[in-house]
Amino acid sequence: MVQVAEERRTRRRRASVPPPVVFALVLIPFTLEVVGVFWPAINGVWLSFLNWNGFSAAEFVGLDNYARMFTDPVFFTALRNTGIWLILFGGISFVGGLAVALLLQSERRGVGIYRSALFLPIVFSLVVTALIWNAIYQPNGILNIVLTNLGLGDWTRLWLGDPSTALYAVIVAALWRQIGYVMILFIAGLKAIDPAMLEAARVDGANWWQRLRYIVLPQLRSVNLVVLSVLIIDALRSFDIVYAMTGGGPFRSTELLSTYMFEAAFTSRQLGYGSALAVVIFLLAVGVIISYLVRAFSESKED
Amino acid sequence: MALIDDALPMLADEPPKPVRSAPARRRTWRSPLRTAAFHVTGSLIALVWFLPILLVLLTSLRTFDDIAANGVGALPEGITAANYPEAWTTAGMGQAMVNSLIITVPTVVLSLLLASAAAYGLSRYRIPFRRTILLVMLAGNLLPVQVILVPLVRIAEALGIYDSLPAVIIAQTAFGLGFYTFVLYGFMRSIPMELQDAASIDGAGVLRTYWQVILPLCRPALAALAALAFTWIFNDLLLAITLLRTDDSFPITAAVLSLLGQYGGQWNLIAAATVIAAIPCVLVFLVFQRSFVGGLALGAVK
């Protein structure tokens, strides 16, 4: 008996010490990611303290690049637009995605077609999305044609050429592509809710709104967290669609931090200032996500 | 076509609940009025959502003169397929499509190979700090890509691969690894340890178990990630235009975009190019439909 137990123990111990090849399996990908992502990221932070055009000698300027943002009106335009983007793109995707998920969650005939129509745009690149919507917004495009035919000729305009509408026009295009994705996340979350709970509430006389408010939404909390994180990161990273539709214009009216960063670093070759803007994007992403996580965490402790 | 319903249990940790498919499932009675309201709302949303795609398809079949006379949004006067070959040659789309595929296919294969190896080691063996390693890898994927752009260019220059497709392949692989590893780690943890013990009793080593036992069992997760990764990498613009300089090396996204700059008003050509640029991902979507949709929901339900 003792011998058997001992034998078993040694076998378990032997199994718990991974063979060397396992370390290689883990370390090769890990190293690639460290070298390909974290090392450049740390390097990017270092670059943000330099004044450098990439050719002549780099000069260490401390926090000058960050101080410069406070006197840079374009930075504030980009920051404000990024805020608008975060709230409108993030907010409408969230609410719209949840709404269509609630509408299309039940399995019935035809629902698959409606869902497919909503998430088909996810397969397109943001560049393709940009070109599709660019055509819609053309001066003689469908939007203006429809408005004219509805007798709303006064409303027609150069949607992407007018600084007061360009940013919103781009956001609509981005939403068209994003809502289907958010819908899928929410449908997955809704499917995970125990139907018995809803049935019990129904028996107790809870109406549709009460079931949504007191059962569905609280049950979706973990999905909410995923959706919001995805939306915040997507919003702050957004680049392709703006770059492709307006390039940040007209008159910087669609400039986001990400497009301004690209322009500063690669068009005007101010590598230090561009890197500092990238660090700001990073800090905003971390800040928004952490503050949301802290709130979600303290809320769940209250229960 | 209950895509999501079909796809999710396949990717879930637990086996699908038998309750759902049980014949005893109660059919809820719905009033015809509410059913009609549902379908009216549903088809209205679907129609509005599909309209932009239809519009581009129609525009790609019109002539330049028709568009110039009647506007981009008008209905076609006649239909022509001539825009497609013309867009294909003027935008250099053949080369761009090849470039995109040269970037995308190896990146997907390499990413999944490396990520599954890491996930295998982390999920099956007591590697020290395995949770930390996993979290660090996932965190890398949450970094806004902008932070690494400038240093990436310098590293690519130092390695002598700037303005070459391998630069994009390596960067894309490194950037995606965290997420793929995280998903595969979760999936592999749901595979019973006993299977591995059985394999090792039969004399299979670490690599053999990984390749012949674990990887085949991960097929659903691998298919979902492959479909997703294909569209992400194929559709990328930012990393590509940062690491590539010459038109000949541009992927399809950049090539189509440059068409907009050069042939600004020729919407017949731009629309045709747009449709061509979307085709590979639509094909992947159609073939991997279930995996794709299930993959989108990965990580949402835990």
Side-chain angles (χ1 to χ4, degrees):
Chain A
M1 276 300 258
V2 177
Q3 214 176 352
V4 172
E6 202 141 87
E7 211 167 74
R8 195 178 293 155
R9 210 176 301 138
T10 41
R11 188 185 299 160
R12 190 167 299 156
R13 204 179 307 136
R14 204 179 298 142
S16 72
V17 176
V21 63
V22 174
F23 286 101
L25 288 182
V26 173
L27 283 180
I28 292 169
F30 184 69
T31 311
L32 178 64
E33 186 166 340
V34 169
V35 173
V37 179
F38 286 99
W39 170 244
I42 294 165
N43 232 283
V45 176
W46 166 246
L47 280 170
S48 74
F49 300 123
L50 303 179
N51 183 10
W52 193 38
N53 61 13
F55 304 113
S56 53
E59 176 197 0
F60 184 82
V61 293
L63 292 172
D64 276 11
N65 285 323
Y66 294 92
R68 183 181 148 190
M69 290 174 195
F70 290 98
T71 57
D72 178 0
V74 182
F75 169 73
F76 282 103
T77 309
L79 187 65
R80 198 195 56 140
N81 288 342
T82 302
I84 294 175
W85 189 275
L86 200 61
I87 292 166
L88 286 185
F89 169 80
I92 299 174
S93 303
F94 187 90
V95 177
L98 180 60
V100 283
L102 287 170
L103 179 75
L104 301 179
Q105 62 164 320
S106 63
E107 296 307 328
R108 44 166 107 181
R109 196 165 299 140
V111 80
I113 296 169
Y114 307 149
R115 283 183 197 158
S116 304
L118 274 159
F119 65 63
L120 185 59
I122 302 170
V123 264
F124 301 146
S125 64
L126 283 156
V127 170
V128 163
T129 307
L131 293 174
I132 292 174
W133 283 83
N134 205 328
I136 292 174
Y137 290 135
Q138 283 304 299
N140 56 3
I142 183 124
L143 186 55
N144 280 344
I145 291 178
V146 167
L147 285 173
T148 310
N149 287 336
L150 287 175
L152 297 169
D154 296 349
W155 291 19
T156 59
R157 64 187 72 213
L158 280 166
W159 295 96
L160 293 174
D162 184 336
S164 64
T165 55
L167 182 64
Y168 305 101
V170 180
I171 289 178
V172 168
L175 282 171
W176 176 72
R177 189 169 170 281
Q178 189 81 2
I179 283 180
Y181 176 39
V182 178
M183 172 190 77
I184 286 175
L185 294 179
F186 275 125
I187 288 182
L190 289 168
K191 293 238 174 281
I193 297 178
D194 185 0
M197 232 185 323
L198 289 167
E199 196 51 48
R202 203 194 305 255
V203 170
D204 287 348
N207 62 28
W208 184 87
W209 171 250
Q210 287 166 327
R211 293 200 300 272
L212 177 69
R213 172 74 187 77
Y214 296 107
I215 296 178
V216 174
L217 292 184
Q219 288 285 311
L220 282 178
R221 187 171 286 159
S222 66
V223 183
N224 285 342
L225 199 70
V226 173
V227 172
L228 280 171
S229 309
V230 165
L231 286 175
I232 291 163
I233 293 168
D234 276 1
L236 290 168
R237 270 180 194 167
S238 291
F239 171 84
D240 295 14
I241 194 157
V242 177
Y243 184 80
M245 279 179 91
T246 62
F251 309 111
R252 308 275 188 188
S253 61
T254 57
E255 199 81 79
L256 298 180
L257 284 176
S258 58
T259 53
Y260 189 40
M261 178 269 154
F262 187 84
E263 192 222 279
F266 298 109
T267 313
S268 349
R269 296 213 59 95
Q270 303 165 306
L271 298 184
Y273 194 51
S275 297
L277 289 166
V279 171
V280 170
I281 297 173
F282 169 66
L283 292 178
L284 280 176
V286 171
V288 177
I289 289 172
I290 287 182
S291 64
Y292 178 77
L293 282 175
V294 167
R295 250 198 52 209
F297 183 66
S298 58
E299 260 175 27
S300 64
K301 261 205 322 208
E302 276 164 25
D303 296 343
Chain B
M1 249 173 75
L3 293 174
I4 296 168
D5 223 17
D6 293 344
L8 283 181
M10 188 174 70
L11 295 162
D13 286 0
E14 305 110 54
K17 294 188 195 97
V19 187
R20 244 192 222 154
S21 52
R25 176 174 140 181
R26 197 164 54 90
R27 264 247 165 271
T28 43
W29 182 83
R30 297 187 174 98
S31 80
L33 202 68
R34 292 186 65 176
T35 304
F38 169 81
H39 284 294
V40 169
T41 325
S43 30
L44 214 64
I45 295 176
L47 193 71
V48 168
W49 234 255
F50 195 70
L51 211 60
I53 300 170
L54 191 69
L55 212 70
V56 162
L57 283 173
L58 280 181
T59 308
S60 73
L61 298 171
R62 298 170 64 192
T63 60
F64 176 72
D65 294 337
D66 172 17
I67 293 174
N70 303 315
V72 190
L75 286 172
E77 276 180 345
I79 276 177
T80 167
N83 297 317
Y84 283 88
E86 199 181 340
W88 181 266
T89 44
T90 28
M93 291 188 86
Q95 179 70 48
M97 188 70 89
V98 169
N99 291 340
S100 275
L101 292 174
I102 291 179
I103 292 171
T104 309
V105 175
T107 307
V108 172
V109 174
L110 194 64
S111 303
L112 292 186
L113 207 62
L114 289 170
S116 61
Y120 171 71
L122 292 169
S123 68
R124 303 268 123 182
Y125 295 93
R126 296 190 170 277
I127 304 244
F129 305 112
R130 57 180 187 168
R131 283 193 168 274
T132 316
I133 292 176
L134 195 67
L135 276 179
V136 167
M137 289 187 78
L138 183 66
N141 197 248
L142 298 180
L143 280 178
V145 68
Q146 283 87 356
V147 186
I148 64 170
L149 286 185
V150 178
L152 267 188
V153 172
R154 298 180 57 210
I155 293 174
E157 279 170 346
L159 293 174
I161 54 172
Y162 178 69
D163 195 17
S164 77
L165 301 183
V168 187
I169 294 173
I170 294 170
Q172 287 281 14
T173 305
F175 196 70
L177 271 180
F179 178 73
Y180 310 139
T181 306
F182 182 74
V183 171
L184 288 169
Y185 172 84
F187 194 86
M188 285 181 192
R189 271 175 66 97
S190 68
I191 299 173
M193 263 317 215
E194 284 77 12
L195 272 172
Q196 187 160 358
D197 294 342
S200 78
I201 286 167
D202 287 347
V206 172
L207 292 177
R208 210 183 149 114
T209 313
Y210 159 69
W211 193 252
Q212 292 192 335
V213 179
I214 301 296
L215 270 194
L217 287 169
C218 287
R219 209 172 286 157
L222 288 171
L225 285 178
L228 278 185
F230 185 94
T231 57
W232 287 338
I233 297 158
F234 192 88
N235 286 336
D236 166 74
L237 174 74
L238 185 51
L239 269 177
I241 57 174
T242 308
L243 289 169
L244 303 171
R245 263 284 155 265
T246 44
D247 289 359
D248 289 348
S249 63
F250 274 170
I252 199 103
T253 43
V256 174
L257 194 57
S258 69
L259 192 71
L260 184 67
Q262 289 163 25
Y263 298 85
Q266 302 198 32
W267 281 98
N268 52 328
L269 289 186
I270 296 168
T274 306
V275 174
I276 295 172
I279 286 174
C281 287
V282 173
L283 284 180
V284 167
F285 171 69
L286 289 177
V287 173
F288 289 94
Q289 216 170 50
R290 289 182 177 188
S291 309
F292 185 87
V293 176
L296 287 174
L298 282 177
V301 201
K302 264 279 154 242

